[in-house]
Amino acid sequence: MRAFIWLVIFLISAGIGALVYVLLFQQRDLPPDFQHIIGKPGTGPGQFQSPCGVAVDQYGNLYVADTANNRIQKFNADGKLLVLWGQLGSQATSFNLPRRIAVLQQPQGDTIYIADCDNSRIDRYSVLNAQYQGHFGVNGLNPGQLNQPIGICVDSGQQGSVLVADTYNDRIERFDPEGRFLSTFGEHGSATGQFNHPRAVAADLEGNIYVADTNNDRIEKFDSKGTFLTQWGIAGHKPGEFNQPCGLAVEENRYLLVVDKNNNRIQKFTLDGKFVLTWGEQGTGSNQFQLPRDICVDRQGRIYIADTGNNRVVVYRHHKNLFADRRSGDAIPSSVQSNAPVPFSAPTAPTAVGSGAPSSPGGPSGGPSGGPSGGPSAGPSASSASGAPEAGSAASTSPEAGPSASPGADLTASPSPTAARLFQPNTWHTGPRGSPAAQPPVPEASPSAQSDGSTSL
């Protein structure tokens, strides 16, 4: 009888232990719960045309690269629009197809870095008032120069240095927080340590670097010095396979989330490449995507996905468990909590929603006309030496063609024909990259539009 009682106690203890293990650990091995959607197609405040980048600051605010509208929009954690800025151009506070965003979190105030792709530069802003702080990078092949960079992240384990996926130079470049060039690694190819148009980069707290080697359909991992460590993934649609991975986020310093763009899904791996789970499919529903591009995670475990083809940001959150970290996070300063909508016009300086006027510290006068160049003076344009062409797909498009609006143009008008065409299948270029003759016969085609059969947003 005593043995039976001990057996019952053991089984109950084992059951309780298993339950605690599931609550503590395995909850994160389940797909996250859908929360809500931010945005819809359009050019007005809170609306998007081909949003390609998302990032969060330490206060829980969300920044969205509204790519085809050539602007940045800032929302609070509930999806309320706070401020927006930008227009088509190359001057301060202007963009030419901004693709990705990274935030350097600092006690004295965060700094926003924006991969201003077709201007071949990185723009810097203050997080609290969207004050322009200059830019770094010029078009070229030399170290510190850029050729249409798409991916960007902040390496918190390396004194806040900025890692840039220099997409069409097939390399990763590292800059200090002020934009001074530090180092580079990578070259064109498919061997280990080589890249074929990488579109995303991420770093863990130990300084390891993860690169979405997009056209090689794989993830590569490097140490903090750029030494190759491992890789995983092949072309395909099965779990652990990829079709143009183009967005990365490190979650809890335990997992890597990968935006598997042309498979219209998110895949989750351990940091050494072990497959954990996947969710998503093509469509417009709550757990569906249309050519998603980017992903980020905030301190409270919310996951934001730039669902580019659906012109929205989809928000998820992990299953709640009894032992989850209950930190509420830092409060949002009252200076950035204004949520009342106002009539919108394309700003030449950051416009706070709720004030109806440009924020006083922002705009071209809020910072220098430009930052450090990040490297030597501009060399020959890299657009004539981009390496082997990318592999296209049935889902690929030609989104390098941006809106035809001139700087300062009113974006409240109906969406441009280009924006409407950005995600229609099979509208890609067929000629050599950078050849004007190879551009599609639409008036809004960008002179820098890619013509290699790829989706380059």
Side-chain angles (χ1 to χ4, degrees):
M1 186 65 177
R2 181 176 297 177
F4 176 76
I5 293 174
W6 280 110
L7 177 61
V8 171
I9 294 174
F10 172 78
L11 292 176
I12 292 175
S13 300
I16 293 175
L19 177 61
V20 170
Y21 175 79
V22 169
L23 291 174
L24 282 173
F25 302 106
Q26 297 302 95
Q27 290 271 347
R28 296 290 171 155
D29 292 346
L30 298 173
D33 293 324
F34 168 79
Q35 297 292 293
H36 60 274
I37 287 172
I38 299 173
K40 61 182 180 180
T43 60
Q47 299 177 345
F48 303 121
Q49 290 194 84
S50 308
C52 287
V54 287
V56 291
D57 64 24
Q58 63 178 313
Y59 309 110
N61 299 309
L62 171 70
Y63 300 82
V64 181
D66 188 9
T67 302
N69 281 329
N70 289 293
R71 65 187 181 188
I72 305 300
Q73 300 201 59
K74 177 181 178 179
F75 302 83
N76 70 9
D78 296 324
K80 301 291 182 65
L81 179 64
L82 301 178
V83 67
L84 55 83
W85 72 93
Q87 59 187 12
L88 177 63
S90 59
Q91 66 272 34
T93 74
S94 296
F95 306 104
N96 192 350
L97 301 182
R99 305 303 175 89
R100 304 288 191 270
I101 306 174
V103 177
L104 173 60
Q105 298 185 0
Q106 300 169 298
Q108 66 271 27
D110 296 354
T111 299
I112 312 166
Y113 297 89
I114 300 164
D116 189 4
C117 180
D118 277 22
N119 281 326
S120 291
R121 69 187 187 193
I122 306 300
D123 294 320
R124 297 171 59 232
Y125 290 84
S126 167
V127 71
L128 293 181
N129 52 21
Q131 180 181 5
Y132 179 70
Q133 296 181 339
H135 66 264
F136 56 91
V138 295
N139 183 256
L141 292 165
N142 295 330
Q145 298 178 343
L146 302 167
N147 187 11
Q148 295 183 299
I150 292 180
I152 188 169
C153 78
V154 170
D155 186 355
S156 300
Q158 295 291 317
Q159 291 77 48
S161 60
V162 180
L163 295 168
V164 178
D166 188 9
T167 303
Y168 288 94
N169 281 330
D170 293 302
R171 65 190 179 189
I172 303 299
E173 295 203 289
R174 185 190 294 274
F175 300 84
D176 73 9
E178 302 302 318
R180 289 178 285 267
F181 173 74
L182 298 175
S183 63
T184 184
F185 65 91
E187 61 182 358
H188 181 81
S190 58
T192 57
Q194 296 180 332
F195 306 118
N196 190 354
H197 296 355
R199 283 179 168 79
V201 59
D204 62 27
L205 294 181
E206 285 70 45
N208 296 310
I209 301 167
Y210 305 84
V211 179
D213 188 9
T214 304
N215 281 16
N216 282 325
D217 293 304
R218 67 186 181 186
I219 304 300
E220 293 194 84
K221 180 178 180 179
F222 302 83
D223 68 13
S224 60
K225 296 180 180 179
T227 303
F228 175 82
L229 297 177
T230 188
Q231 66 180 38
W232 64 90
I234 59 173
H237 61 274
K238 297 178 181 178
E241 299 177 344
F242 301 113
N243 189 350
Q244 291 208 332
C246 66
L248 300 174
V250 174
E251 182 186 39
E252 300 178 329
N253 209 43
R254 295 175 57 197
Y255 300 107
L256 185 71
L257 301 177
V258 181
V259 179
D260 189 8
K261 176 174 68 75
N262 286 355
N263 282 327
N264 294 291
R265 66 185 180 186
I266 308 301
Q267 297 202 65
K268 182 175 183 176
F269 300 86
T270 62
L271 296 182
D272 58 0
K274 180 182 178 182
F275 174 79
V276 176
L277 61 86
T278 183
W279 80 91
E281 61 182 0
Q282 185 173 21
T284 59
S286 59
N287 286 298
Q288 296 178 324
F289 309 108
Q290 180 64 27
L291 301 178
R293 290 306 199 280
D294 197 18
I295 188 168
C296 70
V297 183
D298 71 8
R299 292 182 175 185
Q300 286 71 43
R302 285 181 290 258
I303 300 171
Y304 299 90
I305 298 168
D307 187 10
T308 308
N310 284 325
N311 294 294
R312 66 187 187 181
V313 173
V314 187
V315 186
Y316 292 87
R317 195 165 190 172
H318 281 293
H319 294 272
K320 295 180 180 179
N321 67 62
L322 298 176
F323 300 93
D325 183 356
R326 298 181 181 274
R327 289 178 303 170
S328 60
D330 298 314
I332 301 174
S334 58
S335 61
V336 293
Q337 292 192 55
S338 178
N339 297 325
V342 296
F344 172 75
S345 61
T348 56
T351 300
V353 177
S355 67
S359 57
S360 57
S365 62
S369 61
S373 65
S377 59
S381 172
S383 62
S384 61
S386 62
E390 297 182 53
S393 71
S396 297
T397 60
S398 175
E400 288 291 339
S404 57
S406 59
D410 184 4
L411 292 179
T412 59
S414 58
S416 69
T418 299
R421 291 170 56 89
L422 283 183
F423 294 95
Q424 294 184 7
N426 301 321
T427 55
W428 54 58
H429 302 165
T430 56
R433 183 175 182 273
S435 169
Q439 308 304 324
V442 291
E444 61 273 12
S446 166
S448 61
Q450 306 307 321
S451 54
D452 48 19
S454 66
T455 304
S456 54
L457 272 181

